[in-house]
Amino acid sequence: MAAATGVFAVACGGTQSTTMTVIGPPVGLEPFYQQKLSWSDCRDGFQCATLKVPRDYARPGGRQLKISVIRLPAKDGSRRIGSLVTNPGGPGASGVSFLRTSSQAFGAALRDRFDLVGFDPRGVGKSEPVRCFDSRQAEQRLFADPPAARSQINAVVMFWRAFVAACQARSGANLPYVGTVNAARDMDVLRAALGDKRLTYIGFSYGTYLGAFYADQFPRNVRALVLDGASDPKLTGEEFLLGHAQGFETALRAFAAYCVKIAGCPLGAGSVDKAVDKISDLQERAARKPLKNRAGDHSPVDDDVVTQGIYMALYSRNAWPELRRALTQAIDDGDGTGLFKLGDEQEAVDSTGALKAVNCVDKPFPPDLAAVENLADRAGKVAPHFGSFIVWPWLPCAYWPVRPTRQPRAATAAGAPPILVIGTTRDPATPYKWAQSLADQLTSGVLLTYDGDGHTAYLSNTEQCIRQPVEQYLINAQPPQRGITCKQQPLDPAGKGAPS
Protein backbone atom coordinates (compact mmCIF):
# COMPACT_ATOMS: atom_id res chain seq x y z
CA MET A 1 0.00 0.00 0.00
CA ALA A 2 1.20 3.12 -1.13
CA ALA A 3 -0.64 4.60 1.54
CA ALA A 4 -0.22 3.93 4.86
CA THR A 5 -0.04 5.33 7.96
CA GLY A 6 0.26 14.31 19.33
CA VAL A 7 1.82 14.11 21.93
CA PHE A 8 3.58 10.95 20.88
CA ALA A 9 5.09 8.52 23.34
CA VAL A 10 8.14 9.48 25.33
CA ALA A 11 11.30 7.43 25.06
CA CYS A 12 11.71 4.59 27.45
CA GLY A 13 14.67 2.60 26.33
CA GLY A 14 15.90 3.17 22.80
CA THR A 15 13.07 2.97 20.32
CA GLN A 16 11.01 6.08 21.09
CA SER A 17 11.89 9.66 21.88
CA THR A 18 10.90 12.51 24.14
CA THR A 19 8.83 15.42 22.89
CA MET A 20 11.19 18.22 21.93
CA THR A 21 10.31 21.92 22.03
CA VAL A 22 13.72 23.54 21.68
CA ILE A 23 15.27 25.04 18.56
CA GLY A 24 18.91 24.44 19.52
CA PRO A 25 20.61 21.03 19.47
CA PRO A 26 19.33 18.68 22.17
CA VAL A 27 21.89 17.88 24.83
CA GLY A 28 24.18 15.07 23.73
CA LEU A 29 23.23 15.37 20.07
CA GLU A 30 25.39 18.40 19.23
CA PRO A 31 27.77 16.49 16.91
CA PHE A 32 24.84 15.39 14.77
CA TYR A 33 23.14 18.78 14.68
CA GLN A 34 26.37 20.60 13.91
CA GLN A 35 27.50 18.35 11.04
CA LYS A 36 28.06 19.87 7.62
CA LEU A 37 26.77 17.97 4.63
CA SER A 38 29.34 17.28 1.93
CA TRP A 39 27.50 17.67 -1.37
CA SER A 40 28.67 16.11 -4.62
CA ASP A 41 27.26 16.20 -8.13
CA CYS A 42 24.98 13.25 -8.86
CA ARG A 43 23.81 14.03 -12.42
CA ASP A 44 21.11 16.15 -14.01
CA GLY A 45 21.66 19.13 -11.74
CA PHE A 46 21.17 17.18 -8.51
CA GLN A 47 23.57 17.04 -5.58
CA CYS A 48 23.84 14.16 -3.12
CA ALA A 49 25.12 13.82 0.43
CA THR A 50 25.02 11.53 3.44
CA LEU A 51 23.57 12.54 6.81
CA LYS A 52 24.73 10.76 9.97
CA VAL A 53 22.22 10.07 12.75
CA PRO A 54 22.34 7.88 15.86
CA ARG A 55 20.62 4.55 15.43
CA ASP A 56 19.33 4.89 19.00
CA TYR A 57 18.67 8.46 20.16
CA ALA A 58 18.81 7.30 23.78
CA ARG A 59 22.42 6.20 23.16
CA PRO A 60 23.86 8.78 20.73
CA GLY A 61 27.38 7.51 21.29
CA GLY A 62 26.50 4.11 19.83
CA ARG A 63 26.16 2.96 16.27
CA GLN A 64 25.28 5.52 13.61
CA LEU A 65 23.05 5.23 10.55
CA LYS A 66 23.72 6.87 7.20
CA ILE A 67 20.79 8.69 5.62
CA SER A 68 20.89 9.27 1.86
CA VAL A 69 19.99 12.87 0.89
CA ILE A 70 19.50 14.60 -2.46
CA ARG A 71 18.81 18.21 -3.41
CA LEU A 72 18.03 20.29 -6.48
CA PRO A 73 19.47 23.76 -5.74
CA ALA A 74 17.19 26.79 -6.02
CA LYS A 75 17.30 28.33 -9.51
CA ASP A 76 17.21 31.90 -8.19
CA GLY A 77 19.93 31.95 -5.57
CA SER A 78 19.50 35.66 -4.88
CA ARG A 79 15.90 35.06 -3.73
CA ARG A 80 16.45 31.69 -2.08
CA ILE A 81 14.36 31.14 1.07
CA GLY A 82 15.92 27.88 2.20
CA SER A 83 15.22 24.16 1.78
CA LEU A 84 11.89 22.51 1.00
CA VAL A 85 12.12 18.99 2.42
CA THR A 86 9.84 16.42 0.78
CA ASN A 87 8.53 12.93 1.49
CA PRO A 88 6.53 10.91 -1.08
CA GLY A 89 4.83 8.48 1.31
CA GLY A 90 4.98 4.76 1.87
CA PRO A 91 6.40 4.13 4.31
CA GLY A 92 9.11 2.60 2.21
CA ALA A 93 9.10 4.91 -0.81
CA SER A 94 12.48 6.41 -1.68
CA GLY A 95 12.57 10.16 -1.25
CA VAL A 96 15.74 10.29 -3.33
CA SER A 97 14.13 8.54 -6.32
CA PHE A 98 10.98 10.60 -5.86
CA LEU A 99 12.81 13.90 -6.17
CA ARG A 100 14.68 12.74 -9.27
CA THR A 101 11.47 11.79 -11.05
CA SER A 102 9.08 14.43 -9.69
CA SER A 103 11.03 17.65 -9.14
CA GLN A 104 9.54 19.32 -12.22
CA ALA A 105 6.02 18.71 -10.90
CA PHE A 106 6.68 21.31 -8.21
CA GLY A 107 5.71 24.82 -9.24
CA ALA A 108 8.32 27.07 -10.84
CA ALA A 109 8.05 29.52 -7.94
CA LEU A 110 9.05 26.77 -5.49
CA ARG A 111 11.92 25.60 -7.68
CA ASP A 112 13.15 29.18 -7.94
CA ARG A 113 13.02 29.99 -4.23
CA PHE A 114 13.87 26.67 -2.52
CA ASP A 115 16.43 23.93 -2.67
CA LEU A 116 14.18 20.91 -3.20
CA VAL A 117 15.40 18.20 -0.82
CA GLY A 118 14.57 14.50 -0.64
CA PHE A 119 15.88 11.79 1.64
CA ASP A 120 15.47 8.08 2.17
CA PRO A 121 14.21 7.63 5.75
CA ARG A 122 16.03 5.08 7.89
CA GLY A 123 15.28 1.57 6.67
CA VAL A 124 14.38 2.75 3.15
CA GLY A 125 16.16 2.86 -0.21
CA LYS A 126 19.82 3.70 0.32
CA SER A 127 19.49 4.46 4.04
CA GLU A 128 20.35 1.01 5.43
CA PRO A 129 17.18 -0.53 3.99
CA VAL A 130 15.21 -3.26 5.71
CA ARG A 131 15.86 -6.43 3.76
CA CYS A 132 13.89 -9.64 4.09
CA PHE A 133 13.87 -12.24 1.33
CA ASP A 134 17.09 -12.45 -0.63
CA SER A 135 15.72 -12.95 -4.13
CA ARG A 136 13.39 -11.05 -6.42
CA GLN A 137 11.33 -14.19 -7.01
CA ALA A 138 10.66 -14.56 -3.30
CA GLU A 139 9.79 -10.89 -2.96
CA GLN A 140 7.26 -11.19 -5.78
CA ARG A 141 5.31 -13.64 -3.63
CA LEU A 142 4.62 -10.82 -1.18
CA PHE A 143 1.42 -10.30 -3.13
CA ALA A 144 0.42 -13.90 -2.47
CA ASP A 145 -3.33 -14.45 -2.48
CA PRO A 146 -5.34 -14.00 0.70
CA PRO A 147 -6.75 -17.38 1.73
CA ALA A 148 -9.93 -18.16 -0.17
CA ALA A 149 -10.73 -21.06 2.17
CA ARG A 150 -9.65 -22.27 5.59
CA SER A 151 -7.58 -24.98 3.94
CA GLN A 152 -5.29 -22.25 2.56
CA ILE A 153 -4.71 -20.42 5.84
CA ASN A 154 -1.82 -22.61 6.97
CA ALA A 155 0.10 -21.82 3.79
CA VAL A 156 -0.47 -18.10 4.25
CA VAL A 157 0.68 -18.27 7.87
CA MET A 158 3.79 -20.22 6.90
CA PHE A 159 4.64 -17.70 4.19
CA TRP A 160 4.35 -14.66 6.45
CA ARG A 161 6.21 -16.35 9.30
CA ALA A 162 9.03 -17.06 6.86
CA PHE A 163 8.94 -13.43 5.73
CA VAL A 164 9.22 -12.15 9.30
CA ALA A 165 12.05 -14.58 10.05
CA ALA A 166 13.89 -13.35 6.96
CA CYS A 167 13.47 -9.71 8.03
CA GLN A 168 14.81 -10.57 11.48
CA ALA A 169 17.75 -12.51 10.06
CA ARG A 170 18.82 -9.84 7.59
CA SER A 171 17.82 -6.60 9.33
CA GLY A 172 17.04 -7.53 12.92
CA ALA A 173 19.52 -5.18 14.57
CA ASN A 174 17.82 -2.12 13.05
CA LEU A 175 14.17 -3.19 13.35
CA PRO A 176 13.59 -1.58 16.79
CA TYR A 177 14.70 1.80 15.44
CA VAL A 178 12.93 2.30 12.10
CA GLY A 179 9.65 3.76 13.37
CA THR A 180 8.30 7.18 12.48
CA VAL A 181 9.24 8.81 15.80
CA ASN A 182 12.92 8.26 15.03
CA ALA A 183 12.48 9.22 11.36
CA ALA A 184 11.03 12.54 12.54
CA ARG A 185 14.04 13.08 14.79
CA ASP A 186 16.28 12.37 11.80
CA MET A 187 14.39 15.03 9.89
CA ASP A 188 15.20 17.61 12.55
CA VAL A 189 18.88 16.69 12.33
CA LEU A 190 18.57 17.10 8.56
CA ARG A 191 16.96 20.53 9.01
CA ALA A 192 19.93 21.67 11.08
CA ALA A 193 22.49 20.16 8.70
CA LEU A 194 20.81 22.00 5.79
CA GLY A 195 21.33 25.25 7.67
CA ASP A 196 17.61 26.00 8.16
CA LYS A 197 16.47 27.47 11.47
CA ARG A 198 12.98 26.09 10.90
CA LEU A 199 11.62 23.35 8.68
CA THR A 200 9.71 23.94 5.44
CA TYR A 201 8.20 20.62 4.38
CA ILE A 202 5.67 18.97 2.09
CA GLY A 203 4.66 15.37 2.70
CA PHE A 204 2.27 13.16 0.79
CA SER A 205 0.27 10.21 2.15
CA TYR A 206 2.48 8.57 4.84
CA GLY A 207 4.59 11.73 4.55
CA THR A 208 1.74 13.52 6.34
CA TYR A 209 2.06 11.07 9.23
CA LEU A 210 5.79 11.75 9.38
CA GLY A 211 5.13 15.49 9.21
CA ALA A 212 2.58 15.31 12.03
CA PHE A 213 5.07 13.40 14.20
CA TYR A 214 7.69 16.04 13.42
CA ALA A 215 5.43 18.97 14.28
CA ASP A 216 4.38 17.35 17.52
CA GLN A 217 7.95 16.70 18.65
CA PHE A 218 9.41 19.98 17.34
CA PRO A 219 6.57 22.55 17.14
CA ARG A 220 8.88 25.53 17.53
CA ASN A 221 11.10 24.27 14.70
CA VAL A 222 8.27 24.45 12.14
CA ARG A 223 8.22 27.20 9.51
CA ALA A 224 5.60 25.79 7.10
CA LEU A 225 4.27 22.24 6.68
CA VAL A 226 1.96 20.96 3.92
CA LEU A 227 0.37 17.59 4.68
CA ASP A 228 -1.33 16.32 1.49
CA GLY A 229 -3.41 13.14 1.60
CA ALA A 230 -3.49 13.09 5.37
CA SER A 231 -3.22 10.07 7.60
CA ASP A 232 -4.79 10.23 11.07
CA PRO A 233 -2.32 9.65 13.94
CA LYS A 234 -5.18 8.61 16.25
CA LEU A 235 -5.97 5.44 14.28
CA THR A 236 -5.05 1.95 15.38
CA GLY A 237 -3.84 -0.46 12.71
CA GLU A 238 -7.31 -2.01 12.62
CA GLU A 239 -9.01 1.35 12.14
CA PHE A 240 -6.45 2.30 9.51
CA LEU A 241 -7.11 -0.84 7.44
CA LEU A 242 -10.89 -0.52 7.66
CA GLY A 243 -10.73 3.12 6.58
CA HIS A 244 -8.30 2.30 3.77
CA ALA A 245 -10.59 -0.45 2.46
CA GLN A 246 -13.66 1.81 2.63
CA GLY A 247 -11.72 4.50 0.78
CA PHE A 248 -11.07 2.18 -2.13
CA GLU A 249 -14.69 1.08 -2.18
CA THR A 250 -15.71 4.76 -2.44
CA ALA A 251 -13.17 5.29 -5.23
CA LEU A 252 -14.44 2.24 -7.12
CA ARG A 253 -17.97 3.64 -7.07
CA ALA A 254 -16.66 6.99 -8.32
CA PHE A 255 -14.90 5.21 -11.20
CA ALA A 256 -18.08 3.26 -11.97
CA ALA A 257 -20.11 6.49 -12.05
CA TYR A 258 -17.64 7.89 -14.59
CA CYS A 259 -17.61 4.72 -16.69
CA VAL A 260 -21.36 4.15 -17.07
CA LYS A 261 -21.72 7.57 -18.73
CA ILE A 262 -19.39 6.53 -21.55
CA ALA A 263 -20.53 4.58 -24.59
CA GLY A 264 -19.10 1.09 -24.53
CA CYS A 265 -18.38 1.03 -20.79
CA PRO A 266 -17.62 -2.62 -19.90
CA LEU A 267 -19.68 -2.18 -16.71
CA GLY A 268 -22.80 -1.30 -18.66
CA ALA A 269 -24.87 1.86 -18.91
CA GLY A 270 -27.06 1.37 -15.87
CA SER A 271 -26.70 2.24 -12.21
CA VAL A 272 -23.50 2.42 -10.19
CA ASP A 273 -24.72 -0.54 -8.11
CA LYS A 274 -25.07 -2.70 -11.22
CA ALA A 275 -21.69 -1.56 -12.46
CA VAL A 276 -19.85 -2.57 -9.30
CA ASP A 277 -21.72 -5.87 -9.36
CA LYS A 278 -20.01 -6.52 -12.69
CA ILE A 279 -16.65 -6.01 -10.94
CA SER A 280 -17.72 -8.65 -8.41
CA ASP A 281 -18.69 -10.99 -11.25
CA LEU A 282 -15.25 -10.52 -12.82
CA GLN A 283 -13.47 -11.25 -9.54
CA GLU A 284 -15.53 -14.42 -9.05
CA ARG A 285 -14.96 -15.49 -12.65
CA ALA A 286 -11.18 -15.07 -12.34
CA ALA A 287 -11.23 -17.04 -9.08
CA ARG A 288 -12.92 -19.96 -10.83
CA LYS A 289 -10.89 -19.75 -14.02
CA PRO A 290 -7.97 -17.29 -14.20
CA LEU A 291 -7.79 -14.99 -17.21
CA LYS A 292 -5.07 -15.28 -19.84
CA ASN A 293 -2.05 -12.99 -19.65
CA ARG A 294 0.27 -11.96 -22.48
CA ALA A 295 2.66 -9.89 -20.33
CA GLY A 296 5.46 -10.54 -17.86
CA ASP A 297 5.86 -14.22 -17.09
CA HIS A 298 2.45 -14.93 -18.68
CA SER A 299 1.14 -16.26 -15.36
CA PRO A 300 -2.66 -16.47 -15.33
CA VAL A 301 -4.59 -13.55 -13.86
CA ASP A 302 -6.66 -14.76 -10.92
CA ASP A 303 -9.07 -12.77 -8.77
CA ASP A 304 -6.35 -11.23 -6.63
CA VAL A 305 -4.39 -10.02 -9.66
CA VAL A 306 -7.63 -8.53 -10.98
CA THR A 307 -8.14 -6.79 -7.65
CA GLN A 308 -4.53 -5.60 -7.56
CA GLY A 309 -4.86 -4.02 -11.01
CA ILE A 310 -8.05 -2.19 -10.08
CA TYR A 311 -6.59 -1.15 -6.73
CA MET A 312 -3.48 0.42 -8.26
CA ALA A 313 -5.45 2.21 -11.01
CA LEU A 314 -7.74 3.87 -8.47
CA TYR A 315 -4.80 5.77 -6.97
CA SER A 316 -4.89 8.16 -9.93
CA ARG A 317 -7.90 9.46 -11.85
CA ASN A 318 -5.57 9.78 -14.81
CA ALA A 319 -5.48 5.95 -14.94
CA TRP A 320 -9.26 5.59 -15.23
CA PRO A 321 -9.37 5.44 -19.06
CA GLU A 322 -6.68 2.74 -19.00
CA LEU A 323 -8.62 0.85 -16.33
CA ARG A 324 -11.75 1.07 -18.47
CA ARG A 325 -9.86 -0.45 -21.41
CA ALA A 326 -8.35 -3.19 -19.22
CA LEU A 327 -11.77 -4.12 -17.86
CA THR A 328 -13.19 -4.26 -21.38
CA GLN A 329 -10.38 -6.64 -22.34
CA ALA A 330 -10.99 -8.80 -19.27
CA ILE A 331 -14.80 -8.91 -19.36
CA ASP A 332 -15.27 -9.21 -23.14
CA ASP A 333 -12.23 -11.31 -24.09
CA GLY A 334 -11.18 -13.13 -20.93
CA ASP A 335 -7.80 -11.38 -21.24
CA GLY A 336 -6.28 -10.04 -18.00
CA THR A 337 -3.15 -8.57 -19.56
CA GLY A 338 -4.21 -4.97 -19.00
CA LEU A 339 -5.10 -5.58 -15.37
CA PHE A 340 -1.85 -7.44 -14.83
CA LYS A 341 0.10 -4.45 -16.16
CA LEU A 342 -1.83 -1.98 -14.00
CA GLY A 343 -0.99 -3.97 -10.88
CA ASP A 344 2.61 -4.81 -11.73
CA GLU A 345 4.33 -2.45 -9.27
CA GLN A 346 7.91 -3.56 -8.66
CA GLU A 347 8.61 -0.57 -6.44
CA ALA A 348 5.89 -1.75 -4.06
CA VAL A 349 7.55 -5.17 -3.92
CA ASP A 350 10.97 -3.65 -3.26
CA SER A 351 9.71 -1.52 -0.37
CA THR A 352 7.61 -4.13 1.41
CA GLY A 353 10.20 -4.81 4.11
CA ALA A 354 10.28 -1.15 5.15
CA LEU A 355 6.50 -0.85 4.80
CA LYS A 356 5.94 -3.63 7.33
CA ALA A 357 8.85 -2.68 9.58
CA VAL A 358 7.69 0.90 10.07
CA ASN A 359 3.97 0.24 10.35
CA CYS A 360 4.26 -2.76 12.66
CA VAL A 361 6.23 -0.71 15.20
CA ASP A 362 4.26 2.53 14.76
CA LYS A 363 0.81 1.31 15.79
CA PRO A 364 -0.90 -1.85 17.07
CA PHE A 365 -2.27 -4.14 14.36
CA PRO A 366 -4.37 -7.26 15.02
CA PRO A 367 -2.22 -9.32 17.41
CA ASP A 368 -2.90 -12.86 16.18
CA LEU A 369 -4.36 -14.96 13.40
CA ALA A 370 -7.87 -15.03 14.86
CA ALA A 371 -7.92 -11.22 15.08
CA VAL A 372 -6.77 -10.90 11.47
CA GLU A 373 -9.45 -13.34 10.31
CA ASN A 374 -12.08 -11.39 12.21
CA LEU A 375 -10.92 -8.08 10.76
CA ALA A 376 -10.82 -9.51 7.22
CA ASP A 377 -14.44 -10.62 7.63
CA ARG A 378 -15.50 -7.19 8.91
CA ALA A 379 -13.59 -5.42 6.16
CA GLY A 380 -15.25 -7.64 3.57
CA LYS A 381 -18.64 -6.45 4.75
CA VAL A 382 -17.85 -2.72 4.51
CA ALA A 383 -15.63 -3.03 1.43
CA PRO A 384 -16.64 -6.20 -0.44
CA HIS A 385 -14.26 -5.69 -3.38
CA PHE A 386 -11.13 -4.88 -1.34
CA GLY A 387 -11.57 -5.76 2.35
CA SER A 388 -9.90 -9.17 2.57
CA PHE A 389 -7.33 -8.20 -0.07
CA ILE A 390 -6.21 -5.24 2.06
CA VAL A 391 -6.28 -6.87 5.51
CA TRP A 392 -4.47 -10.20 5.04
CA PRO A 393 -1.08 -8.71 4.04
CA TRP A 394 -0.87 -7.28 7.57
CA LEU A 395 -0.76 -10.70 9.23
CA PRO A 396 3.06 -10.37 9.64
CA CYS A 397 2.57 -7.67 12.29
CA ALA A 398 1.16 -10.43 14.50
CA TYR A 399 4.56 -12.17 14.34
CA TRP A 400 6.79 -9.09 14.20
CA PRO A 401 9.77 -9.30 16.59
CA VAL A 402 9.39 -5.67 17.74
CA ARG A 403 6.13 -4.74 19.42
CA PRO A 404 4.62 -1.25 19.21
CA THR A 405 5.71 0.84 22.18
CA ARG A 406 3.13 3.60 21.79
CA GLN A 407 -0.61 3.83 21.47
CA PRO A 408 -2.11 6.05 18.78
CA ARG A 409 -3.06 9.51 20.00
CA ALA A 410 -3.77 12.95 18.65
CA ALA A 411 -1.05 15.14 17.18
CA THR A 412 -1.56 18.65 18.53
CA ALA A 413 1.77 20.37 17.74
CA ALA A 414 0.94 23.01 20.33
CA GLY A 415 2.96 26.15 19.68
CA ALA A 416 3.55 25.50 15.97
CA PRO A 417 2.67 28.13 13.35
CA PRO A 418 -0.20 27.34 10.92
CA ILE A 419 0.05 23.89 9.30
CA LEU A 420 -1.78 23.26 6.00
CA VAL A 421 -3.64 19.94 5.68
CA ILE A 422 -5.06 18.91 2.29
CA GLY A 423 -7.82 16.34 1.96
CA THR A 424 -9.33 14.93 -1.25
CA THR A 425 -13.00 14.04 -0.85
CA ARG A 426 -12.78 10.70 -2.70
CA ASP A 427 -9.18 9.83 -1.98
CA PRO A 428 -8.95 6.02 -2.08
CA ALA A 429 -5.96 5.52 0.22
CA THR A 430 -6.36 8.27 2.82
CA PRO A 431 -10.06 9.05 3.21
CA TYR A 432 -11.13 12.67 3.51
CA LYS A 433 -12.30 12.20 7.08
CA TRP A 434 -8.68 11.52 8.08
CA ALA A 435 -7.68 14.97 6.81
CA GLN A 436 -10.58 16.52 8.69
CA SER A 437 -9.47 14.74 11.85
CA LEU A 438 -5.81 15.73 11.53
CA ALA A 439 -6.67 19.38 10.86
CA ASP A 440 -8.87 19.35 13.96
CA GLN A 441 -6.17 17.73 16.12
CA LEU A 442 -3.48 20.25 15.21
CA THR A 443 -3.91 23.38 17.27
CA SER A 444 -2.88 25.43 14.23
CA GLY A 445 -4.26 23.14 11.51
CA VAL A 446 -5.87 24.67 8.41
CA LEU A 447 -7.85 22.35 6.11
CA LEU A 448 -7.85 22.85 2.33
CA THR A 449 -10.45 20.61 0.67
CA TYR A 450 -10.07 19.16 -2.82
CA ASP A 451 -13.45 17.97 -4.11
CA GLY A 452 -12.14 15.30 -6.42
CA ASP A 453 -10.74 11.82 -7.04
CA GLY A 454 -7.32 10.24 -6.74
CA HIS A 455 -4.71 10.04 -4.02
CA THR A 456 -3.29 13.43 -2.92
CA ALA A 457 -3.88 16.73 -4.70
CA TYR A 458 -0.93 19.09 -5.22
CA LEU A 459 1.54 17.26 -7.45
CA SER A 460 -0.93 15.60 -9.77
CA ASN A 461 -3.24 18.52 -10.56
CA THR A 462 -3.10 21.77 -12.47
CA GLU A 463 -5.97 23.59 -10.76
CA GLN A 464 -4.72 26.91 -9.44
CA CYS A 465 -7.15 26.72 -6.53
CA ILE A 466 -4.88 23.98 -5.14
CA ARG A 467 -1.46 24.92 -6.44
CA GLN A 468 -1.57 28.66 -5.75
CA PRO A 469 -2.49 28.51 -2.04
CA VAL A 470 0.03 25.72 -1.42
CA GLU A 471 2.86 27.59 -3.11
CA GLN A 472 1.99 30.93 -1.52
CA TYR A 473 1.88 29.29 1.90
CA LEU A 474 5.26 27.61 1.45
CA ILE A 475 6.84 30.84 0.21
CA ASN A 476 5.23 33.32 2.61
CA ALA A 477 4.31 31.02 5.53
CA GLN A 478 0.78 32.47 5.35
CA PRO A 479 -1.96 29.84 5.06
CA PRO A 480 -5.11 30.23 2.95
CA GLN A 481 -8.38 31.11 4.63
CA ARG A 482 -10.16 28.32 6.42
CA GLY A 483 -13.01 26.54 4.68
CA ILE A 484 -11.75 26.77 1.09
CA THR A 485 -12.84 24.00 -1.30
CA CYS A 486 -11.26 23.46 -4.73
CA LYS A 487 -13.36 21.49 -7.22
CA GLN A 488 -11.70 19.10 -9.65
CA GLN A 489 -12.24 19.61 -13.36
CA PRO A 490 -14.42 16.95 -15.03
CA LEU A 491 -12.70 14.06 -16.77
CA ASP A 492 -13.99 13.71 -20.32
CA PRO A 493 -14.46 10.30 -22.00
CA ALA A 494 -11.06 10.54 -23.68
CA GLY A 495 -9.43 10.93 -20.27
CA LYS A 496 -8.60 14.59 -20.63
CA GLY A 497 -9.03 17.13 -17.87
CA ALA A 498 -6.98 17.80 -14.79
CA PRO A 499 -5.39 14.46 -13.97
CA SER A 500 -5.13 13.27 -10.41
Side-chain angles (χ1 to χ4, degrees):
M1 290 170 238
T5 163
V7 176
F8 289 107
V10 173
C12 181
T15 62
Q16 300 292 322
S17 311
T18 56
T19 299
M20 304 298 299
T21 57
V22 296
I23 294 177
V27 175
L29 296 175
E30 293 88 351
F32 297 100
Y33 274 78
Q34 294 167 1
Q35 67 185 293
K36 303 296 182 184
L37 294 175
S38 178
W39 296 101
S40 60
D41 178 80
C42 53
R43 305 188 318 277
D44 302 322
F46 291 95
Q47 298 172 343
C48 293
T50 299
L51 178 77
K52 294 181 180 179
V53 298
R55 180 170 72 177
D56 182 351
Y57 276 93
R59 300 173 180 82
R63 188 184 164 197
Q64 298 179 0
L65 300 179
K66 295 179 179 180
I67 305 299
S68 181
V69 184
I70 189 171
R71 75 176 177 185
L72 183 66
K75 294 181 70 175
D76 188 348
S78 65
R79 301 174 66 228
R80 178 184 177 275
I81 295 170
S83 304
L84 173 57
V85 178
T86 66
N87 181 276
S94 167
V96 172
S97 297
F98 165 74
L99 196 65
R100 281 194 179 277
T101 59
S102 303
S103 62
Q104 297 307 303
F106 289 88
L110 297 181
R111 287 181 278 122
D112 285 346
R113 305 291 301 276
F114 290 98
D115 297 341
L116 299 185
V117 176
F119 70 103
D120 287 350
R122 55 174 63 200
V124 174
K126 296 181 180 179
S127 297
E128 307 205 26
V130 173
R131 297 295 188 200
C132 298
F133 290 137
D134 58 3
S135 75
R136 183 58 54 86
Q137 273 189 326
E139 295 280 10
Q140 288 284 7
R141 292 185 56 215
L142 291 170
F143 293 118
D145 296 351
R150 291 206 60 82
S151 60
Q152 298 175 356
I153 287 179
N154 285 343
V156 171
V157 169
M158 288 178 61
F159 172 78
W160 284 117
R161 282 190 178 276
F163 169 80
V164 172
C167 298
Q168 175 70 8
R170 302 191 72 199
S171 301
N174 287 341
L175 292 183
Y177 308 102
V178 296
T180 301
V181 169
N182 282 331
R185 296 203 70 171
D186 295 344
M187 200 155 65
D188 199 54
V189 175
L190 175 60
R191 172 198 59 76
L194 290 169
D196 293 336
K197 290 184 178 180
R198 288 180 173 81
L199 179 71
T200 305
Y201 172 83
I202 184 167
F204 305 93
S205 194
Y206 163 78
T208 69
Y209 193 69
L210 175 61
F213 271 56
Y214 179 88
D216 209 55
Q217 291 187 87
F218 305 97
R220 291 177 57 200
N221 293 5
V222 170
R223 177 184 172 274
L225 264 62
V226 174
L227 308 179
D228 184 0
S231 191
D232 184 349
K234 293 195 299 184
L235 299 180
T236 65
E238 178 177 302
E239 292 166 336
F240 173 84
L241 293 176
L242 285 172
H244 188 69
Q246 289 173 310
F248 273 92
E249 203 71 28
T250 296
L252 180 64
R253 294 183 66 83
F255 165 77
Y258 146 82
C259 187
V260 296
K261 296 175 182 177
I262 298 171
C265 170
L267 306 180
S271 68
V272 169
D273 287 341
K274 290 181 179 179
V276 296
D277 283 345
K278 288 207 169 186
I279 296 289
S280 300
D281 293 343
L282 176 62
Q283 290 173 312
E284 293 167 6
R285 172 183 164 191
R288 292 191 304 269
K289 183 180 179 181
L291 310 177
K292 61 188 176 185
N293 174 25
R294 295 174 286 105
D297 60 1
H298 300 277
S299 57
V301 172
D302 65 10
D303 56 323
D304 287 293
V305 179
V306 167
T307 305
Q308 173 76 7
I310 297 170
Y311 174 90
M312 295 305 301
L314 291 177
Y315 269 93
S316 170
R317 192 183 69 157
N318 204 37
W320 284 9
E322 186 179 354
L323 175 59
R324 177 166 50 90
R325 290 188 289 271
L327 288 171
T328 299
Q329 190 181 48
I331 292 171
D332 293 352
D333 302 328
D335 188 339
T337 304
L339 290 169
F340 174 86
K341 289 179 177 179
L342 283 170
D344 187 23
E345 288 291 318
Q346 186 57 53
E347 183 178 351
V349 172
D350 292 339
S351 65
T352 298
L355 177 71
K356 305 304 185 193
V358 174
N359 274 309
C360 292
V361 77
D362 269 358
K363 59 174 73 75
F365 280 82
D368 53 42
L369 175 61
V372 171
E373 290 183 271
N374 178 269
L375 181 59
D377 288 343
R378 290 166 53 203
K381 290 180 173 65
V382 299
H385 298 91
F386 300 102
S388 179
F389 172 84
I390 283 171
V391 168
W392 274 103
W394 293 96
L395 178 61
C397 287
Y399 311 125
W400 203 252
V402 182
R403 309 313 298 170
T405 53
R406 61 173 299 277
Q407 291 296 315
R409 51 186 70 119
T412 62
I419 295 172
L420 183 59
V421 179
I422 304 175
T424 299
T425 54
R426 293 176 298 281
D427 189 313
T430 52
Y432 178 64
K433 64 182 179 180
W434 293 359
Q436 292 175 303
S437 177
L438 179 57
D440 285 344
Q441 292 168 43
L442 295 166
T443 57
S444 59
V446 176
L447 178 64
L448 175 60
T449 297
Y450 186 54
D451 183 4
D453 302 287
H455 183 40
T456 75
Y458 172 75
L459 280 184
S460 47
N461 290 286
T462 59
E463 283 99 334
Q464 287 305 302
C465 58
I466 283 290
R467 295 186 70 88
Q468 185 174 17
V470 168
E471 292 168 11
Q472 288 301 308
Y473 165 68
L474 289 171
I475 290 170
N476 300 321
Q478 296 296 318
Q481 294 180 349
R482 297 176 187 274
I484 291 178
T485 295
C486 173
K487 190 168 182 62
Q488 190 175 41
Q489 296 176 18
L491 183 69
D492 72 18
K496 296 177 182 178
S500 66

